[in-house]
């Protein structure tokens, strides 16, 4: 099976997010991600990068974020590694699903990780080899792939 | 790229027209404009989102913050004519039913 890979290294600068989205858009099109699904995948990649810039790298633009876009057959994988503060297990586990929105007591934020979980077939959080975070996001295309739509999260 | 924000006022309603992509880089601009527009008690703010081809969760959080602030001051925040992309992210985050959303900017 042929593996195609693009590696992108950026500084943790939010101005670069639009360029990351443009690259992700072109890559998803090249590897035949369905048009109906591509916008939410681009959103989820953007959320991963934004989380890394804001929370892990804490706005320190001297730190770096690397994205590896890997296509293996019908599986698309995006691996983000950063030089920031590792996410704690508590944060990862508590943000698998969207917060319950109480109309009388709304809480802004806390949406990035649930979006990633909702959009990708698999999301894995690990410590990077040299510190920081390593986040692997996997998308399965083709027959048998899950078709995700807004709605209740399925129990796994 | 920076957002293009235009504020106008008519019949005690402030209208904020947003143009451009709302992400981690640009959402502080939107936040500043929303909070400024909701400075007074009982304000009604209409945020026109027709020309927003992309919005991330920081943009959504800004709108939620604005909604909370408006309600706390006895006012309203209405999303007007959101683009398909904005509607999708609101639906994905299950916030589409939390906001007052109007389709037609002139209605």
């Amino acid at each position: 099976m042929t593996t195609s890979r693009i590696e992108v290294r950026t500084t943790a600068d939010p101005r670069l997010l639009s360029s990351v989205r443009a690259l992700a858009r072109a890559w998803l099109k090249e590897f035949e991600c369905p048009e109906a699904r591509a916008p939410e995948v681009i959103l989820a990649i953007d959320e991963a990068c934004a989380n890394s810039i804001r929370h892990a790298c804490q706005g320190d633009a001297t730190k770096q974020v690397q994205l590896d876009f890997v296509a293996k057959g019908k599986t698309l994988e995006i691996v983000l590694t950063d030089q920031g503060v590792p996410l704690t297990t508590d944060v990862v586990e508590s943000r698998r699903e969207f917060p319950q929105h109480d109309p009388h007591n709304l809480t802004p934020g806390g949406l990035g990780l649930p979006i990633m979980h909702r959009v990708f077939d698999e999301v894995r959080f690990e410590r990077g080899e040299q510190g920081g975070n390593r986040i692997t996001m996997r998308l399965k295309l083709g027959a048998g792939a899950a078709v995700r739509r807004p709605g209740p999260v399925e129990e796994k | 790229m920076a957002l293009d924000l235009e504020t106008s006022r008519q019949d005690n309603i402030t209208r904020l027209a947003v143009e451009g992509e709302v992400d981690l880089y640009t959402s502080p601009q939107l936040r500043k404009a929303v909070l400024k527009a909701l400075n007074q008690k009982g304000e009604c703010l209409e945020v026109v989102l027709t020309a927003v081809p992309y919005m991330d969760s920081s943009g959504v959080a800004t709108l939620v913050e604005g909604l909370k602030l408006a309600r706390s001051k006895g006012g309203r925040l209405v999303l007007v004519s959101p683009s398909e992309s904005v509607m999708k992210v609101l639906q994905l985050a299950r916030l589409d039913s939390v906001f007052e959303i109007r389709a037609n900017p002139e209605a």
Side-chain angles (χ1 to χ4, degrees):
Chain A
M1 186 184 300
T2 308
T3 299
S4 303
R5 178 187 295 268
I6 307 175
E7 296 180 8
V8 183
R9 194 174 299 162
T10 77
T11 48
D13 181 347
R15 278 179 295 190
L16 299 175
L17 287 171
S18 59
S19 300
V20 169
R21 292 196 298 272
L23 173 65
R25 190 174 297 115
W27 180 74
L28 290 167
K29 188 172 182 187
E30 188 62 39
F31 287 96
E32 299 178 357
C33 176
E35 279 183 32
R37 205 171 171 189
E40 64 184 30
V41 177
I42 293 164
L43 172 69
I45 295 169
D46 186 62
E47 295 292 344
C49 294
N51 260 325
S52 176
I53 292 170
R54 188 175 181 185
H55 299 296
C57 299
Q58 299 174 345
D60 180 353
T62 65
K63 293 190 171 166
Q64 292 190 338
V65 179
Q66 180 168 325
L67 286 164
D68 294 351
F69 294 84
V70 185
K72 285 186 278 194
K74 290 287 183 187
T75 300
L76 302 182
E77 190 176 274
I78 300 101
V79 182
L80 180 151
T81 48
D82 66 35
Q83 299 174 324
V85 178
L87 288 166
T88 64
T89 307
D90 284 353
V91 168
V92 170
E93 289 305 317
S94 66
R95 302 217 174 135
R96 291 183 68 86
E97 297 191 12
F98 289 102
Q100 295 296 317
H101 301 301
D102 176 355
H104 303 292
N105 188 23
L106 291 167
T107 308
L111 301 172
L113 296 185
I115 287 173
M116 290 159 60
H117 280 292
R118 181 82 190 117
V119 169
F120 287 106
D121 296 296
E122 187 185 337
V123 184
R124 198 170 68 234
F125 296 87
E126 300 164 291
R127 288 278 176 101
E129 287 174 7
Q130 297 171 341
N133 296 285
R134 178 185 167 87
I135 304 171
T136 304
M137 298 162 276
R138 201 165 281 145
L139 189 69
K140 292 170 186 164
L141 303 177
V147 177
R148 304 284 178 108
R149 288 286 176 268
V153 176
E154 307 91 322
E155 292 296 327
K156 293 193 175 175
Chain B
M1 191 180 290
L3 284 180
D4 193 357
L5 299 168
E6 195 176 312
T7 306
S8 58
R9 190 164 171 83
Q10 192 176 9
D11 301 330
N12 290 324
I13 295 172
T14 302
R15 177 167 288 179
L16 175 64
V18 187
E19 187 176 344
E21 296 189 329
V22 183
D23 65 6
L24 185 64
Y25 179 56
T26 59
S27 60
Q29 233 188 304
L30 175 62
R31 181 174 184 269
K32 193 173 170 187
V34 167
L35 299 188
K36 186 180 174 190
L38 292 168
N39 195 29
Q40 303 291 323
K41 277 190 176 179
E43 279 288 330
C44 177
L45 173 63
E46 295 183 344
V47 185
V48 185
L49 297 166
T50 318
V52 177
Y54 178 81
M55 179 176 281
D56 77 349
S57 69
S58 70
V60 175
T62 298
L63 297 176
V64 170
E65 187 182 359
L67 179 62
K68 275 191 80 165
L69 179 64
R71 285 178 175 171
S72 73
K73 292 186 167 193
R76 289 165 63 208
L77 182 140
V78 182
L79 306 184
V80 179
S81 195
S83 66
E84 190 182 338
S85 172
V86 172
M87 273 310 295
K88 278 189 176 169
V89 70
L90 291 173
Q91 287 165 352
L92 191 65
R94 301 177 200 164
L95 281 161
D96 50 318
S97 59
V98 169
F99 286 99
E100 185 179 344
I101 299 175
R102 207 170 57 230
N104 184 351
E106 302 306 325

